[in-house]
Amino acid sequence: MKFLQLWFQTKAGWGHAALCLAIFLICLALFELRNRKLQGARTLDSRWGWYSPADITALFDSLGEKGRQLYAWTEVTLDYVFPLTYAVLFGTILTRLAEPWPAWYAWVMFVPIAAAIFDLLENTSIFALAKGYQTGRLAGWAGILPAFTLAKLALFLSSIALIGIVSVMRFF
């Protein structure tokens, strides 16, 4: 954790944030393109609530083989870039806003990193489930996937809230 804290403090600047913001926006556009290719299917990683193995099965069946392949491969390409990008973006913003880095800074920095870790766990799980899927049958560990999704979502939204809180603390 100390390594990340030092990296953000010494290497990450507003230029990094601008580059990450551009990549973030490109990823959002590519996710929209993917959703169109998947005919508007409500993907697992875009859900805001708990979902069951039956929901996963219904999604995978509705996508068909070609849709499942597209979904699986974008989870380990595009959706690997996305969490790494937002972790650096949010971490850089928090670092620059929190200067001169009070004691609580290290804990704040952990939030976007933790969001990215859960996002990567979610993406890897979706890839493995989609690639190994046989009609109507999921791997037994599919029930843990929604926990990754909810943890990612809570930590992602917490990161955004922390940016707002740190901004208020910095400027007021």
Side-chain angles (χ1 to χ4, degrees):
M1 190 65 176
K2 189 72 169 166
F3 167 78
L4 289 172
Q5 183 179 352
L6 288 173
W7 185 86
F8 279 108
Q9 289 175 346
T10 60
K11 304 286 186 207
W14 289 114
H16 286 96
L19 176 62
C20 288
L21 179 60
I23 295 169
F24 182 91
L25 295 173
I26 290 168
C27 286
L28 291 178
L30 292 172
F31 283 130
E32 181 58 32
L33 179 63
R34 177 187 73 176
N35 288 344
R36 287 185 193 160
K37 291 282 188 190
L38 296 177
Q39 295 150 355
R42 193 164 165 238
T43 58
L44 302 172
D45 47 347
S46 66
R47 297 181 187 212
W48 287 67
W50 192 264
Y51 49 87
S52 68
D55 297 324
I56 300 170
T57 299
L59 173 65
F60 286 174
D61 286 344
S62 73
L63 292 176
E65 181 63 28
K66 188 176 175 183
R68 272 193 313 277
Q69 293 302 313
L70 172 65
Y71 185 35
W73 285 109
T74 57
E75 286 299 293
V76 294
T77 52
L78 172 62
D79 212 358
Y80 268 21
V81 171
F82 189 65
L84 298 175
T85 300
Y86 72 68
V88 173
L89 173 64
F90 295 166
T92 301
I93 292 169
L94 286 166
T95 298
R96 295 300 139 219
L97 290 174
E99 288 178 300
W101 308 302
W104 50 262
Y105 163 76
W107 291 105
V108 169
M109 288 307 307
F110 181 72
V111 176
I113 302 299
I117 290 168
F118 278 105
D119 203 344
L120 292 169
L121 287 169
E122 174 196 49
N123 299 339
T124 303
S125 298
I126 291 170
F127 173 80
L129 286 171
K131 291 299 285 177
Y133 185 74
Q134 297 174 4
T135 303
R137 293 181 31 205
L138 284 173
W141 53 270
I144 189 94
L145 179 57
F148 295 152
T149 302
L150 290 176
K152 169 203 73 175
L153 180 62
L155 291 163
F156 181 88
L157 294 174
S158 295
S159 297
I160 294 169
L162 282 169
I163 289 171
I165 292 166
V166 172
S167 295
V168 168
M169 290 172 62
R170 169 89 175 179
F171 297 110
F172 295 103

